[in-house]
């Protein structure tokens, strides 16, 4: 009888160890997905930050009197780059940067020669594509964070998450109306 008790205790211990391993590996997987999602967002935000000076230089050649706007963009771009991985600060800084960039795109309406410039059109298209990629990466990241947060807060994974240092993460939010690239009529209609 005594051996049966030891077998049962051993079987329970093995099941518990396997359970802990499965929960831990699930938490690691969700955490890695969230890290991957943030990396994708960061790449696209850096791509946008690199496009902005090119766009500013192109517009500057046509709109030399827009100095305040150019200075505002440079200042807000620097803040966005300096925000790093702090999601709340980064989201706010990126939203702030979107406002003057949208104004910059609207300035093109006043310069027909610039609207016809292939360089400007290419940069405008690249910026729009980048904005779309940022949105897709943001959705992936927020989905991965939702899954991680659900796992971290669900029983019994919450017990393991606390022991192994897994924490909930913030969602990455950028104010939607302000981040949209304005539509510019390039058809030349007045």
């Amino acid at each position: 009888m005594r051996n049966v008790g030891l077998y049962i205790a051993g079987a329970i211990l093995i099941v518990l160890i396997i359970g802990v391993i499965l929960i831990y590996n699930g938490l690691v997987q969700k955490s890695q997905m969230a890290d991957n999602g943030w990396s994708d967002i960061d790449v696209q935000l850096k791509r946008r930050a690199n496009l902005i000076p090119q766009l500013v230089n192109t517009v500057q050649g046509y709109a030399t009197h827009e100095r305040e706007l150019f200075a505002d963009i440079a200042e807000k771009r620097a803040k966005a780059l300096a925000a790093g991985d702090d999601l709340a600060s980064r989201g706010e800084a990126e939203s702030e940067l979107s406002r003057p960039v949208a104004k910059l795109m609207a300035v093109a309406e006043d310069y027909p020669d610039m609207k016809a410039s292939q360089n400007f059109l290419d940069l405008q298209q690249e910026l729009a594509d980048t904005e779309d990629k940022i949105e897709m990466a943001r959705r992936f990241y927020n989905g991965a964070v939702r899954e991680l947060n659900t796992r971290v807060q669900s029983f019994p994974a919450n017990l393991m998450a606390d022991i192994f240092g897994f924490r909930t993460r913030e969602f990455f939010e950028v104010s939607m109306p302000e981040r949209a690239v304005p539509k510019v009529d390039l058809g030349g209609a007045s």
Side-chain angles (χ1 to χ4, degrees), residues 37-53:
W38 176 249
S39 178
D40 289 347
I41 290 172
D42 196 42
V43 164
Q44 295 306 323
L45 291 175
K46 286 176 182 172
R47 181 174 181 233
R48 182 175 86 164
N50 291 335
L51 281 172
I52 290 171

Side-chain angles (χ1 to χ4, degrees), residues 3 10 12 20 31 36 41 43 54 72 90 95 103 106 114 125 156 165-166 170 173 182 185 190:
N3 286 341
I12 290 173
V20 168
S31 180
N36 182 332
I41 290 172
V43 164
Q54 294 175 35
D72 191 29
R90 187 77 178 260
S95 293
K103 286 180 191 173
M114 180 174 53
Q125 183 60 48
F166 290 95
E170 292 180 51
E173 299 296 331
D185 178 17
S190 301

